[in-house]
């Protein structure tokens, strides 16, 4: 019997541009450009973002308007389509269902596990709920406990857990610092390279 493989991919920075960077540029608030590539502590990062949104009177509607204009990275959908034709694929992201839906539509509705924003009736983002602690790593371990072998790829600090816990793991379009800190992890810049590495690992 062939191994039951499942490929776990990060979303932002791997398949679509970083949502918060796009929103920082659209709103003219450079402080919102900070992402998980810069701040390993996700809770700290989100509290920082929510405080800035509140200070500027911005809510979910304004962020969703920006997301509506974001397209997947060139070649991302074709990469995902080909990958899904040969194996199971799951997108594991620390983004939120309220952000992800329009992007999933543009990617052909792949399966995504992500978190949820708490939104007040007036559209203010009041908080957020994580699906589980260390959601990417925890999900990969849960898949393995169900008999799956995982292959993972991502670009940020919060992807390292799932990459290191998988039978094969790759950095993709990552930062020089993360690549330098983890020379043991193969790092790729193009979808063709990543696809070839995943196929080899299957």
């Amino acid at each position: 019997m062939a191994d039951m493989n499942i490929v776990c991919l990060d979303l932002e920075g791997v398949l679509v541009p970083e949502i918060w960077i796009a929103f920082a540029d659209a709103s003219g608030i450079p402080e919102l450009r900070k992402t998980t590539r810069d701040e390993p502590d996700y809770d700290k990062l989100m509290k920082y973002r929510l405080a800035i949104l509140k200070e500027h009177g911005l809510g979910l509607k304004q962020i969703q308007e920006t997301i509506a204009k974001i397209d997947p990275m060139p070649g991302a959908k074709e990469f995902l389509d080909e990958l899904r034709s040969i194996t199971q694929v799951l997108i594991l992201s620390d983004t939120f269902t309220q952000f992800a839906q329009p992007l999933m539509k543009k990617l052909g509705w792949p399966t995504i596990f992500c978190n949820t924003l708490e939104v007040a009736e007036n559209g203010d983002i009041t908080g957020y709920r994580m699906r589980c602690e260390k959601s990417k790593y925890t999900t990969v371990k849960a898949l393995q406990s169900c008999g799956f072998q995982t292959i993972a790829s991502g670009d940020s600090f919060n992807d390292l857990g799932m990459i290191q816990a998988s039978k094969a793991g790759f950095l993709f379009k990552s930062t020089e610092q993360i690549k330098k800190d983890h020379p043991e992890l193969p790092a790729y810049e193009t979808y063709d390279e990543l696809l070839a590495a995943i196929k080899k690992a299957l």
Side-chain angles (χ1 to χ4, degrees):
M1 185 181 144
D3 285 336
M4 287 165 62
N5 290 300
I6 193 157
V7 175
C8 299
L9 298 174
D10 177 35
L11 177 65
E12 293 180 66
V14 173
L15 298 169
V16 303
E18 293 278 353
I19 291 167
W20 287 97
I21 291 179
F23 185 63
D25 295 347
S27 61
I29 305 170
E31 297 90 330
L32 287 173
R33 287 183 69 88
K34 191 183 277 196
T35 71
T36 47
R37 289 168 158 222
D38 315 298
E39 173 54 75
D41 184 332
Y42 192 73
D43 191 49
K44 199 167 146 188
L45 178 64
M46 274 308 296
K47 284 181 174 147
Y48 167 83
R49 287 165 167 170
L50 294 184
I52 293 172
L53 292 178
K54 195 171 176 185
E55 185 191 324
H56 290 272
L58 295 167
L60 181 60
K61 183 173 171 282
Q62 289 87 351
I63 300 177
Q64 285 178 329
E65 282 168 0
T66 297
I67 293 170
K69 300 183 189 113
I70 295 177
D71 284 320
M73 283 149 70
K77 185 174 185 300
E78 294 74 8
F79 160 75
L80 204 51
D81 287 346
E82 184 164 347
L83 192 55
R84 287 166 74 194
S85 75
I86 53 174
T87 188
Q88 298 292 315
V89 180
L90 185 56
I91 296 174
L92 299 183
S93 173
D94 278 338
T95 193
F96 305 95
T97 48
Q98 293 94 332
F99 291 1
Q101 198 167 357
L103 296 166
M104 292 307 100
K105 187 179 179 181
K106 291 179 182 178
L107 286 168
W109 298 112
T111 301
I112 183 168
F113 287 4
C114 59
N115 304 310
T116 310
L117 288 170
E118 292 167 351
V119 184
E121 277 185 20
N122 66 356
D124 286 354
I125 300 170
T126 54
Y128 65 97
R129 284 198 306 277
M130 299 295 275
R131 199 165 38 76
C132 54
E133 185 74 18
K134 291 189 179 148
S135 58
K136 299 181 183 193
Y137 171 78
T138 308
T139 304
V140 155
K141 294 309 278 182
L143 289 166
Q144 290 166 355
S145 76
C146 302
F148 286 103
Q149 295 208 20
T150 59
I151 296 167
S153 184
D155 69 321
S156 295
F157 286 109
N158 62 342
D159 299 312
L160 292 171
M162 71 169 179
I163 289 172
Q164 290 161 336
S166 293
K167 76 163 181 177
F170 313 106
L171 291 171
F172 185 67
K173 295 183 185 290
S174 192
T175 64
E176 290 310 316
Q177 189 59 53
I178 293 174
K179 288 190 276 195
K180 203 170 93 185
D181 291 347
H182 295 277
E184 77 285 0
L185 297 176
Y188 301 113
E189 297 299 321
T190 71
Y191 292 119
D192 288 348
E193 291 173 322
L194 183 58
L195 190 63
I198 292 171
K199 281 178 174 174
K200 207 168 156 191
L202 284 170

